[in-house]
Amino acid sequence: MSAPAFARLPHPSPVADDVRAAAIADPAFGRVFTDHMVSIRYTEGQGWHDAQVMPRGPLTLDPATAVLHYAQEIFEGLKAYRLDDGSMALFRVEANAARFNASARRMAMAELPEELFIAAVKEAVAADAHWFPPVDGGALYLRPFMFASEVFLGVKPASEYQFLVITSPVGNYFKSSAPAISLWVSEDYTRAAPGGTGAAKCGGNYAASLIAQREAIAKGHDQVVFLDAAEHRWIEELGGMNMFFVFDDGSLVTPPLTGTILPGITRDAIITLAHDAGLTVREEAYAIDQWQADAESGRLTESFACGTAAVVTPVGKVTRGEKSFTIGAGGQGQVTEMLKARLVDIQRGRAADPHGWVTRI
Ligand code: PLP
Ligand code: COI
């Protein structure tokens, strides 16, 4: 089955220039959307078909659509950047395409050919290239996702899927006024268990995390630290980011990919950039008690979260129950700053791209 060509249906009444300019002047994260979306459908026996770049708008779903009942849904998140020379680029889109299919396999969904995923993302950026927000750290956040669109209530993998890409002009995920984020350690709820879906980017993982995120927000924190399901001892990741720990000898630790955390593309890039800078990175289990002890003794000097939305974000404070501890001086440390600068410079085309991560559009 050959890949379908995209039909291009321009929006008949796109957002007016002055309204768009006001919307992208300070877009924050995930509330502003562009004029178009990409849609491709899959039917068992027929394969992928009906590829369209079309006006963005509501979906009409039968109430018996499978995703509404059994949550067969996966997604990706990546950014397109406007480079200093005016061109546009994607960061590691091949890695997102590959992870999307890894998620599809885990959720028993149809796989999308990687070249079709990449073509769809490029179509989405090209259709709305005038939506790049003119703010520091601004980008077009692309959200490719796929759901079970078959109308059937039997519990089985669906035979029909819809894949979509929507585009959101974004600035910082967190308020940029804060020097670092504050974390809440969830000791009651876990996010993923061995044999579960923790390594897949499926909506269900996020649904399971929200009660803890609500708790964190109610107590004044930004994100939740999830611990392992078996011992409630080992640090796994945050609700939407991977974690790194920096020690006084300059080495780094990050939790290993044992199937219960998302294999972050930023995480992978940070490991590579740390190696390039001559730093040691250990992918090993790190216990919550040890984190507190190391922060209090000064052996641990920095901690940061990383992900597409968060980029690299320093952690200043961690709270467990009634007790809190501070990381370093509570702001951004030197290793965090250096790794963030190296990553962002490559993403924005300001530094050489020795690992071939940047795709110009
Ligand atoms: N972990 C979770 C649970 C996430 O949602 C994300 C964000 O996508 C990450 C980690 C970081 O992944 P990436 O760097 O590929 O964006
Ligand atoms: C991303 O970084 O792309 C995510 O999906 C995480 C979420 C916090 C938006």
Side-chain angles (χ1 to χ4, degrees):
M1 276 176 269
S2 62
F6 288 88
R8 297 195 183 98
L9 313 171
H11 202 300
S13 51
V15 171
D17 289 349
D18 56 335
V19 177
R20 184 183 68 245
I24 62 178
D26 184 16
F29 184 88
R31 291 198 189 277
V32 178
F33 298 96
T34 61
D35 292 315
H36 297 91
M37 63 185 186
V38 176
S39 168
I40 318 178
R41 289 184 179 273
Y42 176 88
T43 308
E44 213 167 84
Q46 186 183 358
W48 291 97
H49 58 92
D50 277 349
Q52 298 187 340
V53 184
M54 60 201 287
R56 180 180 188 280
L59 305 176
T60 303
L61 296 180
D62 186 285
T65 302
V67 67
L68 301 177
H69 302 271
Y70 310 126
Q72 232 191 336
E73 189 271 351
I74 58 172
F75 68 96
E76 270 302 324
L78 72 159
K79 281 176 177 168
Y81 300 93
R82 173 78 81 190
L83 308 188
D84 292 342
D85 65 7
S87 62
M88 300 179 291
L90 296 166
F91 184 69
R92 303 196 69 179
V93 61
E94 301 85 359
N96 292 96
R99 188 172 66 186
F100 191 70
N101 279 339
S103 299
R105 286 191 292 276
R106 177 62 184 83
M107 302 302 286
M109 300 170 84
E111 289 184 48
L112 181 71
E114 289 182 20
E115 60 279 11
L116 194 50
F117 178 101
I118 295 169
V121 167
K122 287 182 176 172
E123 288 282 344
V125 177
D128 289 319
H130 50 305
W131 279 88
F132 275 93
V135 294
D136 194 32
L140 288 185
Y141 180 78
L142 284 315
R143 172 54 65 87
F145 65 105
M146 171 165 73
F147 64 88
S149 53
E150 188 181 6
V151 177
F152 181 56
L153 291 184
V155 182
K156 63 142 188 107
S159 60
E160 290 172 24
Y161 296 94
Q162 186 171 4
F163 169 81
L164 292 140
V165 185
I166 54 172
T167 306
S168 178
V170 297
N172 289 319
Y173 189 77
F174 296 108
K175 284 189 295 291
S176 51
S177 52
I181 57 169
S182 154
L183 303 181
W184 164 254
V185 181
S186 179
E187 292 180 299
D188 295 334
Y189 304 107
T190 51
R191 179 185 169 278
T197 58
K201 206 161 165 60
C202 60
N205 287 342
Y206 296 79
S209 77
L210 295 180
I211 189 168
Q213 181 65 28
R214 183 167 66 188
E215 204 170 65
I217 291 168
K219 291 175 187 291
H221 305 287
D222 298 294
Q223 278 276 303
V224 178
V225 182
F226 286 101
L227 304 177
D228 74 292
E231 296 181 66
H232 287 219
R233 177 175 176 210
W234 306 104
I235 299 161
E236 297 235 295
E237 62 178 329
L238 309 186
M241 289 135 226
N242 293 115
M243 279 297 304
F244 279 84
F245 308 94
V246 184
F247 296 90
D248 56 0
D249 62 358
S251 68
L252 290 92
V253 162
T254 192
L257 302 180
T258 53
T260 55
I261 68 172
L262 192 77
I265 295 163
T266 319
R267 173 190 180 279
D268 183 77
I270 291 289
I271 292 174
T272 302
L273 294 175
H275 286 156
D276 290 353
L279 302 176
T280 301
V281 184
R282 294 182 298 279
E283 294 182 65
E284 66 185 26
Y286 191 49
I288 183 70
D289 287 339
Q290 195 65 46
W291 191 15
Q292 178 162 0
D294 289 342
E296 286 170 354
S297 74
R299 189 174 97 86
L300 175 117
T301 51
E302 304 173 34
S303 301
F304 62 86
C306 69
T308 298
V311 194
V312 169
T313 300
V315 173
K317 189 178 146 192
V318 183
T319 299
R320 295 172 72 187
E322 298 302 311
K323 295 197 181 126
S324 295
F325 57 96
T326 303
I327 310 290
Q332 175 162 265
Q334 282 176 3
V335 174
T336 305
E337 188 179 0
M338 180 273 288
L339 290 170
K340 179 176 181 181
R342 289 195 178 205
L343 176 69
V344 170
D345 284 350
I346 294 175
Q347 290 172 331
R348 301 208 169 249
R350 293 179 199 136
D353 174 27
H355 306 289
W357 287 339
V358 175
T359 302
R360 299 221 176 203
I361 302 176

Short mmCIF file of all heavy atoms in Angstrom, two decimals, residues 176-216:
data_model
loop_
_atom_site.label_atom_id
_atom_site.label_comp_id
_atom_site.label_asym_id
_atom_site.label_seq_id
_atom_site.Cartn_x
_atom_site.Cartn_y
_atom_site.Cartn_z
N SER A 176 7.96 31.95 33.47
CA SER A 176 9.39 32.18 33.36
C SER A 176 9.92 33.08 34.48
O SER A 176 11.12 33.21 34.65
CB SER A 176 9.74 32.76 31.99
OG SER A 176 8.91 33.86 31.75
N SER A 177 9.00 33.67 35.28
CA SER A 177 9.47 34.54 36.35
C SER A 177 10.11 33.76 37.50
O SER A 177 10.97 34.27 38.21
CB SER A 177 8.30 35.37 36.88
OG SER A 177 7.23 34.52 37.22
N ALA A 178 9.72 32.46 37.66
CA ALA A 178 10.28 31.68 38.77
C ALA A 178 11.68 31.18 38.41
O ALA A 178 11.91 30.76 37.28
CB ALA A 178 9.36 30.51 39.07
N PRO A 179 12.63 31.22 39.38
CA PRO A 179 13.99 30.76 39.06
C PRO A 179 14.08 29.25 38.88
O PRO A 179 14.99 28.75 38.22
CB PRO A 179 14.81 31.21 40.28
CG PRO A 179 13.81 31.35 41.40
CD PRO A 179 12.50 31.71 40.75
N ALA A 180 13.14 28.51 39.48
CA ALA A 180 13.18 27.04 39.41
C ALA A 180 11.80 26.52 39.80
O ALA A 180 11.01 27.24 40.42
CB ALA A 180 14.23 26.50 40.39
N ILE A 181 11.51 25.27 39.46
CA ILE A 181 10.20 24.72 39.81
C ILE A 181 10.26 23.98 41.14
O ILE A 181 11.33 23.60 41.65
CB ILE A 181 9.62 23.80 38.70
CG1 ILE A 181 10.58 22.64 38.36
CG2 ILE A 181 9.28 24.61 37.47
CD1 ILE A 181 9.94 21.57 37.47
N SER A 182 9.07 23.79 41.67
CA SER A 182 8.92 23.13 42.96
C SER A 182 8.16 21.81 42.73
O SER A 182 7.17 21.78 42.00
CB SER A 182 8.15 24.11 43.86
OG SER A 182 7.46 23.44 44.86
N LEU A 183 8.64 20.73 43.35
CA LEU A 183 8.07 19.40 43.09
C LEU A 183 7.41 18.82 44.33
O LEU A 183 7.86 19.02 45.46
CB LEU A 183 9.18 18.43 42.63
CG LEU A 183 9.97 18.85 41.39
CD1 LEU A 183 11.00 17.78 41.05
CD2 LEU A 183 9.06 19.11 40.21
N TRP A 184 6.36 18.04 44.08
CA TRP A 184 5.64 17.32 45.13
C TRP A 184 5.86 15.83 44.89
O TRP A 184 5.60 15.34 43.79
CB TRP A 184 4.15 17.68 45.05
CG TRP A 184 3.22 16.76 45.80
CD1 TRP A 184 2.37 15.84 45.27
CD2 TRP A 184 3.03 16.70 47.21
NE1 TRP A 184 1.67 15.20 46.25
CE2 TRP A 184 2.05 15.70 47.47
CE3 TRP A 184 3.60 17.39 48.30
CZ2 TRP A 184 1.64 15.38 48.75
CZ3 TRP A 184 3.18 17.06 49.58
CH2 TRP A 184 2.21 16.07 49.80
N VAL A 185 6.34 15.12 45.90
CA VAL A 185 6.56 13.68 45.75
C VAL A 185 5.26 12.95 46.09
O VAL A 185 4.75 13.08 47.22
CB VAL A 185 7.69 13.19 46.69
CG1 VAL A 185 7.93 11.70 46.51
CG2 VAL A 185 8.97 13.98 46.42
N SER A 186 4.73 12.20 45.14
CA SER A 186 3.48 11.48 45.39
C SER A 186 3.81 10.14 46.05
O SER A 186 4.42 9.26 45.43
CB SER A 186 2.72 11.24 44.08
OG SER A 186 1.55 10.52 44.38
N GLU A 187 3.40 10.00 47.32
CA GLU A 187 3.66 8.73 48.01
C GLU A 187 2.42 7.84 48.01
O GLU A 187 2.50 6.66 48.35
CB GLU A 187 4.23 9.01 49.40
CG GLU A 187 5.62 9.62 49.23
CD GLU A 187 6.37 9.99 50.50
OE1 GLU A 187 5.87 10.83 51.25
OE2 GLU A 187 7.47 9.45 50.69
N ASP A 188 1.28 8.39 47.57
CA ASP A 188 0.03 7.60 47.52
C ASP A 188 -0.24 7.01 46.15
O ASP A 188 -0.83 5.93 46.04
CB ASP A 188 -1.16 8.49 47.89
CG ASP A 188 -1.10 8.97 49.32
OD1 ASP A 188 -0.47 8.26 50.13
OD2 ASP A 188 -1.64 10.05 49.62
N TYR A 189 0.14 7.74 45.10
CA TYR A 189 -0.24 7.31 43.75
C TYR A 189 0.99 7.01 42.92
O TYR A 189 1.97 7.76 42.97
CB TYR A 189 -1.04 8.41 43.03
CG TYR A 189 -2.27 8.84 43.81
CD1 TYR A 189 -2.31 10.06 44.47
CD2 TYR A 189 -3.38 8.00 43.89
CE1 TYR A 189 -3.44 10.45 45.18
CE2 TYR A 189 -4.50 8.39 44.61
CZ TYR A 189 -4.53 9.61 45.25
OH TYR A 189 -5.63 9.99 45.96
N THR A 190 0.92 5.94 42.13
CA THR A 190 1.99 5.68 41.17
C THR A 190 1.43 5.89 39.77
O THR A 190 0.21 5.87 39.54
CB THR A 190 2.57 4.27 41.31
OG1 THR A 190 1.50 3.33 41.28
CG2 THR A 190 3.35 4.13 42.60
N ARG A 191 2.35 6.09 38.82
CA ARG A 191 1.94 6.40 37.45
C ARG A 191 1.95 5.17 36.57
O ARG A 191 1.14 5.05 35.65
CB ARG A 191 2.93 7.45 36.91
CG ARG A 191 2.70 7.89 35.49
CD ARG A 191 3.81 8.82 35.05
NE ARG A 191 3.73 9.05 33.61
CZ ARG A 191 4.22 8.22 32.71
NH1 ARG A 191 4.86 7.12 33.06
NH2 ARG A 191 4.10 8.51 31.43
N ALA A 192 2.86 4.25 36.82
CA ALA A 192 3.03 3.11 35.92
C ALA A 192 3.66 1.96 36.69
O ALA A 192 4.43 2.18 37.63
CB ALA A 192 3.94 3.51 34.77
N ALA A 193 3.35 0.73 36.27
CA ALA A 193 3.89 -0.45 36.94
C ALA A 193 4.59 -1.34 35.90
O ALA A 193 4.31 -1.22 34.71
CB ALA A 193 2.75 -1.23 37.60
N PRO A 194 5.49 -2.24 36.36
CA PRO A 194 6.13 -3.15 35.41
C PRO A 194 5.06 -3.91 34.61
O PRO A 194 4.06 -4.36 35.17
CB PRO A 194 6.92 -4.10 36.32
CG PRO A 194 7.18 -3.30 37.56
CD PRO A 194 5.96 -2.43 37.73
N GLY A 195 5.28 -4.01 33.30
CA GLY A 195 4.30 -4.68 32.44
C GLY A 195 3.18 -3.77 31.97
O GLY A 195 2.38 -4.15 31.12
N GLY A 196 3.11 -2.56 32.53
CA GLY A 196 2.05 -1.61 32.17
C GLY A 196 2.45 -0.76 30.97
O GLY A 196 3.27 -1.18 30.15
N THR A 197 1.91 0.47 30.92
CA THR A 197 2.08 1.29 29.72
C THR A 197 2.99 2.50 29.95
O THR A 197 2.97 3.44 29.15
CB THR A 197 0.70 1.79 29.24
OG1 THR A 197 0.09 2.52 30.32
CG2 THR A 197 -0.20 0.65 28.82
N GLY A 198 3.78 2.47 31.03
CA GLY A 198 4.58 3.66 31.39
C GLY A 198 5.49 4.16 30.28
O GLY A 198 5.74 5.36 30.18
N ALA A 199 6.00 3.27 29.44
CA ALA A 199 6.93 3.69 28.39
C ALA A 199 6.22 4.15 27.13
O ALA A 199 6.86 4.62 26.19
CB ALA A 199 7.90 2.56 28.06
N ALA A 200 4.88 3.99 27.09
CA ALA A 200 4.12 4.43 25.92
C ALA A 200 3.59 5.83 26.18
O ALA A 200 3.29 6.18 27.33
CB ALA A 200 2.96 3.47 25.66
N LYS A 201 3.48 6.62 25.12
CA LYS A 201 2.91 7.97 25.31
C LYS A 201 1.42 7.88 24.99
O LYS A 201 0.96 8.24 23.91
CB LYS A 201 3.64 8.97 24.40
CG LYS A 201 3.60 10.38 24.93
CD LYS A 201 4.67 11.23 24.31
CE LYS A 201 4.45 12.71 24.52
NZ LYS A 201 4.41 13.16 25.91
N CYS A 202 0.67 7.32 25.96
CA CYS A 202 -0.77 7.14 25.77
C CYS A 202 -1.51 8.04 26.76
O CYS A 202 -1.03 8.27 27.87
CB CYS A 202 -1.16 5.67 25.97
SG CYS A 202 -0.80 5.00 27.58
N GLY A 203 -2.66 8.53 26.33
CA GLY A 203 -3.41 9.44 27.17
C GLY A 203 -3.73 8.85 28.54
O GLY A 203 -3.75 9.58 29.54
N GLY A 204 -3.93 7.55 28.61
CA GLY A 204 -4.27 6.90 29.87
C GLY A 204 -3.24 7.12 30.96
O GLY A 204 -3.59 7.24 32.15
N ASN A 205 -1.96 7.19 30.59
CA ASN A 205 -0.93 7.44 31.61
C ASN A 205 -1.13 8.79 32.26
O ASN A 205 -0.87 8.97 33.46
CB ASN A 205 0.47 7.42 30.97
CG ASN A 205 0.91 6.03 30.58
OD1 ASN A 205 0.37 5.04 31.05
ND2 ASN A 205 1.90 5.96 29.71
N TYR A 206 -1.55 9.76 31.46
CA TYR A 206 -1.70 11.11 31.98
C TYR A 206 -2.98 11.18 32.82
O TYR A 206 -3.01 11.83 33.87
CB TYR A 206 -1.70 12.11 30.81
CG TYR A 206 -0.34 12.08 30.11
CD1 TYR A 206 -0.04 11.06 29.20
CD2 TYR A 206 0.66 12.99 30.42
CE1 TYR A 206 1.21 10.97 28.61
CE2 TYR A 206 1.91 12.91 29.82
CZ TYR A 206 2.18 11.90 28.92
OH TYR A 206 3.42 11.81 28.35
N ALA A 207 -4.03 10.47 32.36
CA ALA A 207 -5.27 10.43 33.16
C ALA A 207 -4.97 9.89 34.55
O ALA A 207 -5.44 10.43 35.56
CB ALA A 207 -6.30 9.55 32.44
N ALA A 208 -4.14 8.85 34.60
CA ALA A 208 -3.82 8.23 35.90
C ALA A 208 -2.99 9.15 36.78
O ALA A 208 -2.97 9.00 38.01
CB ALA A 208 -3.07 6.91 35.66
N SER A 209 -2.30 10.11 36.16
CA SER A 209 -1.40 10.98 36.93
C SER A 209 -2.11 12.23 37.48
O SER A 209 -1.56 12.94 38.31
CB SER A 209 -0.23 11.43 36.05
OG SER A 209 -0.64 12.45 35.14
N LEU A 210 -3.33 12.50 37.01
CA LEU A 210 -3.92 13.82 37.28
C LEU A 210 -4.33 14.04 38.73
O LEU A 210 -4.27 15.15 39.24
CB LEU A 210 -5.11 14.07 36.35
CG LEU A 210 -4.73 14.15 34.86
CD1 LEU A 210 -5.97 14.39 34.02
CD2 LEU A 210 -3.71 15.25 34.61
N ILE A 211 -4.71 12.96 39.42
CA ILE A 211 -5.11 13.15 40.82
C ILE A 211 -3.91 13.62 41.64
O ILE A 211 -4.03 14.48 42.53
CB ILE A 211 -5.77 11.87 41.39
CG1 ILE A 211 -6.36 12.16 42.76
CG2 ILE A 211 -4.82 10.70 41.42
CD1 ILE A 211 -7.28 11.05 43.28
N ALA A 212 -2.73 13.09 41.32
CA ALA A 212 -1.52 13.52 42.02
C ALA A 212 -1.13 14.94 41.60
O ALA A 212 -0.68 15.75 42.43
CB ALA A 212 -0.37 12.55 41.72
N GLN A 213 -1.34 15.26 40.32
CA GLN A 213 -1.03 16.62 39.85
C GLN A 213 -1.96 17.63 40.53
O GLN A 213 -1.52 18.71 40.92
CB GLN A 213 -1.16 16.69 38.32
CG GLN A 213 -0.85 18.04 37.70
CD GLN A 213 0.61 18.48 37.86
OE1 GLN A 213 1.51 17.65 37.96
NE2 GLN A 213 0.84 19.78 37.91
N ARG A 214 -3.21 17.25 40.73
CA ARG A 214 -4.14 18.14 41.43
C ARG A 214 -3.68 18.38 42.87
O ARG A 214 -3.72 19.50 43.37
CB ARG A 214 -5.55 17.54 41.42
CG ARG A 214 -6.57 18.46 42.08
CD ARG A 214 -8.00 18.04 41.80
NE ARG A 214 -8.30 16.76 42.41
CZ ARG A 214 -9.43 16.07 42.20
NH1 ARG A 214 -10.34 16.53 41.39
NH2 ARG A 214 -9.64 14.92 42.79
N GLU A 215 -3.21 17.30 43.49
CA GLU A 215 -2.69 17.41 44.86
C GLU A 215 -1.49 18.37 44.89
O GLU A 215 -1.38 19.23 45.77
CB GLU A 215 -2.24 16.00 45.28
CG GLU A 215 -2.20 15.71 46.74
CD GLU A 215 -1.97 14.20 46.94
OE1 GLU A 215 -0.91 13.69 46.56
OE2 GLU A 215 -2.89 13.56 47.47
N ALA A 216 -0.59 18.20 43.90
CA ALA A 216 0.61 19.04 43.85
C ALA A 216 0.22 20.51 43.71
O ALA A 216 0.74 21.38 44.44
CB ALA A 216 1.49 18.62 42.67
#
